[in-house]
Amino acid sequence: MPVQDERGACHLSRRSFLECSGAAALVAGGDLLTRVGRAYPQETDKTIRMAVVGGRFGATFHWHEHPRCVVTAVTDLYPERRERLKNQYRCDAVYDSLETMIREAKDVDAVAVFSGAPDHAKQVKMCLDRGWHVVCAVPACVSLEEAAMLKEHKEKTGLRYMMAESSWYHQECIFARNLHRAGGFGELFYTEGEYYHDHGDLQKALTDKSGLPYNPDGTRSWRWGYPPMLYPTHSLGFLVGVTGERVVKVSCLGWRGTRPEVREHPFVTDNAYGSPFWCQASIMSTNRGHMCRVNEFRRCTNYGDRAQWFGDEATFYTPLSGVHESVICVRGKSAEIVAVPQYWQSDLLPEPMRRPSGHRGSAMFISAEFVNALLEDREPEIDLYESLAMTVPGIVAQESALKDGQQLAVPSFDRAQL
Ligand SMILES: NC(=O)c1ccc[n+]([C@@H]2O[C@H](COP(=O)([O-])OP(=O)(O)OC[C@H]3O[C@@H](n4cnc5c(N)ncnc54)[C@H](O)[C@@H]3O)[C@@H](O)[C@H]2O)c1
């Protein structure tokens, strides 16, 4: 039987997982349960020189902790955020804007773009045109035209692109990916991905200028009324990041509220996107004939991103905002709590990076994977095609919600098959 700790958690070592699942097919893939990648190529003498754009979320990564990476340039439009970047990354080359940095910075190989979502595609193009590899915050883009433009520029320049999707490297998502690769789900036919980010007190959200809907200078930020389905990548990371499937059809509904203080709130009546929705729920079908449900809620009483995966041999549930444990149900067994391995403790990360980090351990994996990919001259695990597969279905879902749930086809931006 699985090893039980004092909380009754089931520790899935290779042997105990095999007993837990009873699935003989897992024998070949059992090691995948604990191994997901590699640390970094010790033999290289290359060092990656990184620039960073955006000093709020962009100041929370760990490029400079990779033994083969140094941050050589930072920029933000606001002085206090430039200062934060300078301190975080121990970098004295500070620029007033990305545009200035592109003109003046010389010693840069790659750039981390952590500006607001509507700026990503345009700024990524500027950086690719400058000859820099790019890691960019989510989402990859906000329109189908931008998706096509990104694909064209990435393929034209041959440079590397990675989207910094955190759910892909949640410890639970790594576990689900490994379980899927080992065949433990049987046929994984249904995935639910959810991202909840409440705006809080509705009046305070308008008056408190230190909140996220405002920029440091008091102007409205890109988050003001931003359509929830244009931020689908945390939820879809649980599908694309586990099975690699592509969403091919989408139907989506939106909720605006009925009480006047909700329905007539400026976030949904007066925003730059013409979007009337607080919350959106979408049902999607995939290129393998499977189902996926995505919830993107911005007015609700839950927080964070989570998933559940249903196969015909096993089901796996991630915790709800830290309230309960991860749970697995395997055919023929009762539901059990799973102590998901803390992959960040292992040699999957360079030794100095083996620490807990933001968004369920993902910040360290994102930082290491992008640098490793450049060192090894390969595409990052979350390349442009995976990134667009997590972004584009939400763009189409927004269109569907504006058409009261009409089912729409999702175009592919995958690499052309030769
Ligand atoms: N879990 C996650 O993956 C996660 C969490 C938070 C934010 N994000 C993403 O990260 C990105 C940044 O989020 P945020 O909350 O820090 O946004 P933000 O709007 O607070 O900060 C963006 C920063 O980019 C800077 N910027 C924009 N254009 C610039 C330019 N031309 N030159 C220099 N600086 C420029 C702005 O000055 C600003 O400080 C967003 O796209 C968001 O979607 C992802």
Side-chain angles (χ1 to χ4, degrees), residues 40 85 116 160 180:
Y40 70 103
L85 286 167
R160 310 296 182 195
H180 171 66

Side-chain angles (χ1 to χ4, degrees), residues 315-333:
T315 309
F316 179 52
Y317 301 81
T318 71
L320 177 72
S321 299
V323 172
H324 70 72
E325 313 267 4
S326 295
V327 170
I328 195 163
C329 309
V330 174
R331 182 175 297 286
K333 310 270 179 190

Side-chain angles (χ1 to χ4, degrees), residues 163-224:
M163 190 177 76
E165 178 42 59
S166 44
S167 67
W168 189 292
Y169 292 113
H170 279 193
Q171 308 302 282
E172 295 85 358
C173 191
I174 297 174
F175 178 83
R177 180 157 59 241
N178 293 345
L179 188 57
H180 171 66
R181 287 177 184 170
F185 280 110
E187 181 173 354
L188 210 179
F189 63 88
Y190 178 72
T191 300
E192 291 187 359
E194 315 173 328
Y195 176 50
Y196 303 125
H197 192 147
D198 184 40
H199 277 291
D201 182 277
L202 291 180
Q203 202 45 41
K204 191 169 169 227
L206 292 178
T207 53
D208 177 7
K209 297 237 168 164
S210 67
L212 289 179
Y214 288 99
N215 292 314
D217 63 4
T219 55
R220 290 180 182 185
S221 82
W222 62 275
R223 290 184 191 267
W224 183 289

Side-chain angles (χ1 to χ4, degrees), residues 53-58 75-78 81 96-99 114-117 119-120 123 137-139 164 166 212 215 222-223 231 234 359:
V53 184
R56 204 189 77 82
F57 187 54
T75 181
D76 196 285
L77 300 176
Y78 299 102
R81 293 188 175 185
D96 285 353
S97 70
L98 170 60
E99 291 75 3
F114 283 79
S115 52
D119 288 329
H120 291 167
Q123 295 185 352
V138 306
S166 44
L212 289 179
N215 292 314
W222 62 275
R223 290 184 191 267
Y231 204 89
H234 296 338
H359 294 85

Side-chain angles (χ1 to χ4, degrees), residues 91-375:
C91 172
D92 289 331
V94 182
Y95 297 88
D96 285 353
S97 70
L98 170 60
E99 291 75 3
T100 310
M101 190 168 81
I102 283 178
R103 273 198 312 277
E104 296 180 5
K106 303 259 179 294
D107 51 351
V108 172
D109 301 308
V111 58
V113 174
F114 283 79
S115 52
D119 288 329
H120 291 167
K122 175 186 65 182
Q123 295 185 352
V124 167
K125 175 182 179 299
M126 287 162 56
C127 295
L128 291 174
D129 286 346
R130 176 66 175 81
W132 294 341
H133 305 288
V134 179
V135 55
C136 182
V138 306
C141 56
V142 295
S143 71
L144 298 182
E145 292 72 25
E146 286 185 345
M149 183 271 281
L150 284 175
K151 177 171 148 68
E152 186 190 326
H153 273 264
K154 191 263 173 298
E155 292 177 351
K156 190 172 80 186
T157 61
L159 293 161
R160 310 296 182 195
Y161 171 97
M162 174 170 169
M163 190 177 76
E165 178 42 59
S166 44
S167 67
W168 189 292
Y169 292 113
H170 279 193
Q171 308 302 282
E172 295 85 358
C173 191
I174 297 174
F175 178 83
R177 180 157 59 241
N178 293 345
L179 188 57
H180 171 66
R181 287 177 184 170
F185 280 110
E187 181 173 354
L188 210 179
F189 63 88
Y190 178 72
T191 300
E192 291 187 359
E194 315 173 328
Y195 176 50
Y196 303 125
H197 192 147
D198 184 40
H199 277 291
D201 182 277
L202 291 180
Q203 202 45 41
K204 191 169 169 227
L206 292 178
T207 53
D208 177 7
K209 297 237 168 164
S210 67
L212 289 179
Y214 288 99
N215 292 314
D217 63 4
T219 55
R220 290 180 182 185
S221 82
W222 62 275
R223 290 184 191 267
W224 183 289
Y226 187 77
M229 274 293 163
L230 294 192
Y231 204 89
T233 62
H234 296 338
S235 297
L236 282 169
F238 294 125
L239 174 79
V240 178
V242 170
T243 67
E245 271 164 284
R246 299 303 193 235
V247 172
V248 292
K249 278 188 265 175
V250 160
S251 170
C252 182
L253 297 174
W255 176 79
R256 177 176 168 177
T258 45
R259 298 201 311 281
E261 67 273 24
V262 178
R263 189 172 178 79
E264 301 308 326
H265 193 279
F267 284 3
V268 288
T269 57
D270 174 25
N271 62 59
Y273 313 98
S275 178
F277 305 122
W278 288 102
C279 299
Q280 292 175 287
S282 177
I283 191 84
M284 307 185 173
S285 65
T286 80
N287 59 341
R288 295 185 198 152
H290 297 151
M291 302 171 282
C292 176
R293 195 260 290 149
V294 166
N295 282 358
E296 294 292 336
F297 293 177
R298 306 295 176 258
R299 177 157 177 79
C300 60
T301 55
N302 198 342
Y303 189 81
D305 31 12
R306 63 171 301 278
Q308 43 212 41
W309 294 270
F310 287 72
D312 59 352
E313 291 298 328
T315 309
F316 179 52
Y317 301 81
T318 71
L320 177 72
S321 299
V323 172
H324 70 72
E325 313 267 4
S326 295
V327 170
I328 195 163
C329 309
V330 174
R331 182 175 297 286
K333 310 270 179 190
S334 8
E336 290 183 83
I337 292 170
V338 180
V340 168
Q342 296 304 291
Y343 296 98
W344 56 264
Q345 293 172 333
S346 73
D347 64 1
L348 299 168
L349 291 171
E351 204 280 328
M353 301 179 87
R354 289 176 204 155
R355 297 191 281 107
S357 63
H359 294 85
R360 300 203 190 184
S362 64
M364 215 53 102
F365 279 88
I366 290 168
S367 309
E369 170 60 11
F370 182 62
V371 176
N372 287 347
L374 299 186
L375 290 171

Side-chain angles (χ1 to χ4, degrees), residues 14 18 23-33 178 181-183:
R14 178 171 185 257
L18 296 178
L26 287 179
V27 173
D31 284 345
L32 287 169
L33 288 171
N178 293 345
R181 287 177 184 170

